[in-house]
Amino acid sequence: MPALAIDKLTFRYATRPGVEDAPWQLSLPSLHMEAGEQALMVSPSGAGKSTLLNLIAGLLDPASGTVLIEGQNIHTLRGASRDAFRGQRVGMIFQTFNLLTGFSALENVMVALLFAGVAEREHRPKALAMLERLGVRRIDAPVDEMSVGQQQRVAVARAMVCNPALVLADEPTASLDPANAQGAMDLIQSVCREKGAALLCVSHDPSFAGRFERKESLTTESAESKQGRKEGCES
Amino acid sequence: MTDFTIILRSLRVRLFSTLTTILTVGVAVALILVLLTMRNSGQRAFDRGSGDMHLLVSGDASPLVAVLNSVFYANPPRRPIPWDRYEQLQTQAPWAYAVPTAIGDSFRGMPVVATTPEMFSRFRPVINEAWRLQEGRFFENDFEVVVGASAASTSGLHVGDTVFLTHGFPKHAGAVRGDVVRAGEAVPSSKEEGHEQEHHVEGQEGEESAAHLHREFGCRVVGILSPTYSPHDRAIFTTLNSSWILHAHDRREREGVFDKPGAVEQTTAMDLTPVDRKITGVYLRLEGRGESNAPANLPQVFDMLRKDGSLTVAQPTQEVATLFRIVDNINRLFLVVAGVVMVASAVSIMLALYNSMEQRRRQIAVMRVLGASAGRIFSLVLTESALIGLCGAVGGVVLAFGGAFAARGILRERLGLIIEPAFSPQIMLAVVLVTVALACLAGIIPAMVAYRVSVAKSLRAAA
C-alpha cells in the first residue's frame, strides 16, 4: 500500500474582481509514493506548493480528486477523526519551524504525542529518545532561547516522534544558511529513511535536486489567478 | 504532557495579563464576600452589644450617639449625669435593673467602665447569656478591675496584675512604661510616682483637659471575662468609687489641697463630694415577664423619661435597627457595585483572552496540524478562562479573609465594635461557583474564535 497516492487533484482559487470564469489554479494529476520513498517538489515561489501540502494534510479540501494516505482518503474523514489521523500519520516540517513559544524543546515534542493520542506515560521516553537521536541539547530550555539550528532539530523531532507514514516538509531549510541547510536536509532525509516514512519536500532551492531520486513539479494553469484570493474549502 | 500543561504554559506566556486579570476577579470576589460576611457579622455584633436592656439614658446629644458611646464605646460620652439624678431615675419606674456607668478613663486606649456590681449580676450583655468569667471573680471592692476578654488578650493582663488607669483617652493608645505591675512584683509607692502628664484630649466634661496616668492608684485585676463577642469584650470594668476618687484627686490637686502644710497627698472615698459623683449613662430594664424586650409599659416610660430635656433616652434595639436600615441601603449599593465589578471582571477575562487570540492563531494552527481537533481547542480556551476565574475566586477568598480581619481591626479601634468575620462555607462556595460560571461564559467568545481559526491561513501568515 503506497504511503501517499494522489489522483487528479485540483484546487481552485477564487476569481479576482473583474476576472470571470477563473481557471483552475492548482492541478496534480498523479503522485504515488511508497513507504520510505523521498520526493522533491520543485516549482517557483507562489506556485501553490504550500497549498498542496495543506491539501495532503487535510487542512484544505480539494475541488476534485483524491488524496490517500496509507489507503485512507483523508478528505472523507470529518472533524476530529481527520485531525487525529493527521496527528498520527502525517508529520509536517515548516519553513519557520512553528514551534510553540513558551514551551521547552521537550514539551514541543510531547505536544505532538499528546494530540496524536499516545498514552501519557509514553510521552517523555519517546520524546527524549527522539531529541537525543537528533542531537538536541538543553531539552528543558524554552525553544525561543535556542539557536536556529537547534530549533530546526526540535521541529524535525516533533514531526517524526509519532512515526508518521508521510512527512511533508515545506521549505524546511529556508531559514538556515547554505551550510546548515545541507546538514539539516541530511538529518531530515536520514531520519525519514530510518523510520520508513515517505518524505515529500517542497522547495524552490535547486541545490537540493541531487538529493532526491524523484523530482515532481506542480502545474498551475493561469498565472493571472495567482494574485487571486484563494477559495478555501477549508476543513 | 496533558491538556492542563498546555493551559498553564499559555497562561505563563501571558503572565502579566493573566495576573492582572486574576487580580481583577479576586478583588471583585473579595468585595462581595466581605460585604456579605461583614453585613451579617456586623448586625450580630450590634444585636449582642445592647444585651437585654430596654432603655439607655445618657447625656449625649442624640439617641444613636448615646448608644454608640455608652454601649459600643465609640467615644467617651460628653455630658455627665449627676448622681442624684440617677437616684431619682431609679424611683421613676419599676426597673428590673438600673445599672449606672461612667466612661471617661482608659487603659492603653481601651475604655474603663466604672459601674456597680449589678452590671454583672443583673445586666446580660447578650440576651439569655449572663456574664461568665474565664479567670478570677467579679470586683467587690474599690480599685479592683475585671477585664474583658479582648482587652485581656490585647494587653496580656492576668489576675493578680496591678494596672494604673489613665484619666481621659490619650490620642495614641499603647503601653505606657510602668502602667502594669505583674503579679508578684512590688507596686511602687504613690509618693514615688505622681500622675504623669501625657497629652491633651477631649475630657469627660467636653472641655480640653490633659490625659494622664494615675500612678497614685493601682487597680488590681481580679477577674478576666469570657468572650461575649460584643464591644464589652474590649472594656475594663471597675467600681464607680474608683473612677470618682481618681477625678476627686485631680480636683483636690487643682484646688491646692495638697499644697497646704501637713497635707497628705491622698484621696479616699471620704473626700468625695457631689461634684465628683457623676455618671455618663444608665442601662435600664423594666420589670416584666420572661425575656421580653418590649414590655407593655415601655412606650409610656420612654415618653415619661424623654420629658426631661437634660437626658437623652434611647431604645438600643431601635437605634441599632435604624443604624442598620441606613447601613443596609449602603450595603445594597455596595453589593450592586460589587456585582458590576464582578461582571466587569468577567468582561476583562473575555478581553484578555480575545486579545490574545490574535497572537495565538499560529500556535492554535500548529496544534491543529499536530492533531488537536477544533473542539479540543475550544475546550482548552474555555478551561483556561475557567481556570482564571477559579484562581481569581480563590485569591478573592484569601483577600476577603485578610480584608475582613483588617476591617475588624479598624471597626474595633474606631467604633468599639467587635465584629467576628464568620465566612459561611455555603456563601463562599456559591460565590466561587458563580465566578467560575461567569468566567466560563466569558470564555465562550474567545473559544469560538479559537475554534474557527483557519489553519491554512494562519500557517501561511506565519511563513
Side-chain angles (χ1 to χ4, degrees), chain A residues 51 54 59-60 79-80 83-84 86-88 90 92 94-104 106-108 110-112 114-117 120 123 158 170 230 234-235, chain B residues 1-10 12-13 359 362-377 380 452-460 462-463:
Chain A
T51 304
N54 286 337
L59 298 171
L60 291 174
D83 294 318
R86 177 173 54 248
Q88 288 157 4
V90 182
M92 288 188 84
F94 304 94
Q95 178 183 336
T96 51
F97 314 143
N98 279 334
L99 296 174
L100 300 172
T101 51
F103 288 63
S104 69
L106 182 65
E107 287 169 340
N108 260 280
M110 290 203 295
V111 165
L114 169 73
F115 290 135
E120 193 190 340
H123 291 178
R158 188 178 66 184
D170 186 1
K230 286 175 189 172
E234 197 168 326
S235 65
Chain B
M1 171 68 64
T2 60
D3 284 11
F4 194 66
T5 317
I6 292 175
I7 292 166
L8 289 183
R9 293 292 173 275
S10 169
R12 196 177 66 180
V13 164
Q359 303 152 6
R362 188 179 63 85
Q363 299 234 356
I364 289 167
V366 171
M367 288 185 200
R368 294 290 311 280
V369 166
L370 294 175
S373 65
R376 195 163 182 177
I377 297 292
L380 280 173
R452 300 177 67 166
V453 160
S454 160
V455 181
K457 271 185 193 169
S458 301
L459 291 176
R460 195 166 57 236

Side-chain angles (χ1 to χ4, degrees), chain B residues 199-223:
Chain B
H199 37 248
H200 284 80
V201 293
E202 289 296 306
Q204 187 176 331
E205 310 269 342
E207 64 201 27
E208 190 97 328
S209 68
H212 50 262
L213 192 69
H214 273 280
R215 292 194 190 279
E216 311 90 345
F217 303 99
C219 299
R220 202 161 68 85
V221 178
V222 295

